[in-house]
Every structure is written in structure tokens, then in C-alpha cells.
Amino acid sequence: MHEMLSGHEKRCFNMFRMTQNTFRQLCIDLESKHGLLPSYRISTLEKVGLFVYILSKGASNRDVQERFQHSGETVSRIFKEVLDAIDGLSSKILKPRDPEFKEIPSQIAYDTRYMPHFKDCIGAIDGTHIDVIISEEDQLRYRGRKGTPTFNVLAACDFDLLFTFVLTGWEGSAHDSRIFLDCISNPSLNFPKPPPGKYYLADKGYPERNGYLTPYHKIRYHPSEFRAANPRGPREVFNRAHSSLRSCIERAFGILKARWKILEKMPKYSTHDQNRIICATFALHNYIRLSKVLDPAFNIMDNDPNFVPPKAISDVHLMQEEAQQMGTNEMTKIRNDITTSLMIAKRQRRGS
């Protein structure tokens, strides 16, 4: 640990996926605010280092024993201690910074592509699949589209790539719309619902509801579809703007999975602990993003607003909901109003 925290910054980042200063501050916060204590032989620094090493590498207990020179029992105990402390951090950091959503996000306010058309947008929602270890008798219902057991995780994020809500534990076979409808109807989950007049962006896999704006169906949508030809007509103009702005959630998922390899190769923990581990990676993602120390990974994202990490998993579903949904008319009106204003702005730019 002394070598990692006093040596070259790159070594620390490669091992723990965060800078030396961010790592030290995390140890201080977990000890002073969330009850993590050093033991007779093991400091808080080493405990957090062991935990973050497992997350960043997806390391097995045996690998960690060799790296940190502790017994398997000690490794397991320390991991659970830090995971308990991170649970406290998760509850405080996985939430909107502006609970009432009064401010217009700067990414919209200062970008003529989105302002004033999307001034009432507060973020994006989407689901992502994370591979997990499930007992053989339960694997069928957890099997995702790729045939492996997964959790279908629902998340919301703002335009700073900060997650404002995370719901884990749903089976990989569950559709995004089912998880979403259960989430917004269950008060105990404390989903940060949009206030009147505000809305999240969602993809075509979600049902239309008041406060959740989806794109036009059966119309070109993804950026790659516009490479050969520019948008034709108002609906394609709207869809391209919607897709560009909603990419924040795909970029957030991408950098999350690129940073924490445990999300690709989960060691064998209980189902309950696997859920907690997933939440811990989301919480640490936010913690690093909110740190005042410049993070190399986020720096790449900030320098290129269109960059999505190569291993990003975009769970865009083409399934359409045919049933009548409450709020459809109001959200259609919002979508049409934005489409009209986008086309007017486009004509004005041509005229000038």
C-alpha cells in the first residue's frame, strides 16, 4: 500500500481505478462517516485497498490472498466490512444533487442543439445487464439475451454522468418496461420522480408515461444511422437530438463497466451480496466523479462528449408497447412541440 500511495500515480490508478488523493479521501470518509475501523494488524488503507482491488480486477479470493498476503478467511471478512461501509455511502450518494430539479442542466443550457427545446429534461433512464453467479436451479429465469445469468439493473443518471437512482436484483429475463412500471409504482423504492413539467429521456423499450419522453417509433434514431445521410424531416431531427442527449446514460454505463471489471466476471458471492457489490460500484463511480481531483477516465469523457467506452453495453430495446398508456397524449404533445422548435431553429440557422 505504501508503494501504491507514494509511487507513480499511474500505478495506483491501474490497481485501484482511482487517483491517490481520491483513494485517501475515500478511506477517510469511510472511517469517519460510515463506521469502517482499522484492526490490530490491518489499517483502513489496506482494507479499502483490498476491497477496491477486487472490484477493479474482478479478482478471486485466492488472487487476493497472494496479492495482500492474508488468509482466505481474513480476505472475506475484510471485504464484508468494507462492503457494509460502502452501503452507507451508497444511500447518501446515489441520489439527485438537485432533488426538486429546479435548475436547467448546464449541458442543455449552454448548448444550442438542446436549448430551449429540452430545457425541462432532467436526465435519462435505461437498463443494463450484469453477469452474476446464480444457483443452477434458478438460472433459467435469470438468463439474459446472451444466454448467461444476469441481473437487469435499472438506473437513472443526470447529464454529468452521475447516477441518481439504481435498482438491482431483477432477473435478466425481465423486460425493461416491467421493471420500470414496478419501480415508479412502488413508493418504497424512492425513485426520484420528475416534478410536473419535467421529464426523463427513455428509449423505445419503455412505455410512454407522463414525465418520460421516448423517441418516435419506426424512425431512424441512433447516431450511426445518420452517418450516411442527415436527418430528413422533423421526426428524424427530433430523434437525433433525443439520441444524442440520451447517450449520457450509455456513456455512464460504459465508463462504469470499463472501470470495475467485477461487473464482467463476478466472483461467487451470495445473491444478496452480489446486489450490494453492484450498488457499491455505482456509488464509487459517483464518488470519483464528485471528487475534486481530476480523474483520467472521466477526463477522456469530458474532452469528447460523443465518446462511449469500447466496452459499453447499450441495452436499447426495439420492442414496442402496444397497450394504451396513461400520459401518452401529454408526452406526444411535448415531443411534437420540441420537434417544431427544432425545425424552426434549423431554418433560422440556414437563413443566417
Side-chain angles (χ1 to χ4, degrees), residues 111-168:
D111 194 325
T112 55
R113 293 177 298 172
Y114 311 124
M115 186 66 185
H117 326 295
F118 290 92
K119 62 181 176 65
D120 294 319
C121 184
I122 59 175
I125 61 171
D126 203 0
T128 188
H129 287 260
I130 295 175
D131 288 347
V132 291
I133 304 296
I134 299 294
S135 59
E136 188 172 348
E137 60 270 20
D138 292 328
Q139 283 193 8
L140 182 61
R141 63 192 180 96
Y142 280 92
R143 196 168 294 165
R145 296 187 307 278
K146 295 183 179 180
T148 58
T150 65
F151 287 153
N152 191 348
V153 179
L154 175 68
C157 82
D158 62 23
F159 299 108
D160 281 325
L161 308 185
L162 288 165
F163 291 104
T164 56
F165 177 81
V166 177
L167 176 63
T168 69

Side-chain angles (χ1 to χ4, degrees), residues 11 17 21 38-39 50 55 92 99-100 114 176 179 196 222 248 261 293 305 319-320 331 340:
R11 289 191 65 196
R17 294 296 188 266
N21 287 337
S39 59
L50 183 151
L55 299 191
K92 295 182 181 298
E100 298 180 358
Y114 311 124
D176 284 355
I179 301 171
H222 297 289
C248 63
K261 296 302 180 185
V293 180
M319 186 179 295
Q320 298 181 15
M331 296 315 294
T340 302

Side-chain angles (χ1 to χ4, degrees), residues 66-96:
E66 176 62 27
R67 180 69 184 183
F68 287 84
Q69 293 296 295
H70 291 302
S71 69
E73 186 278 330
T74 300
V75 169
S76 297
R77 176 173 50 81
I78 292 174
F79 186 84
K80 291 291 183 67
E81 286 180 17
V82 182
L83 187 58
D84 289 340
I86 295 287
D87 282 346
L89 177 68
S90 299
S91 64
K92 295 182 181 298
I93 206 168
L94 291 174
K95 62 182 182 181

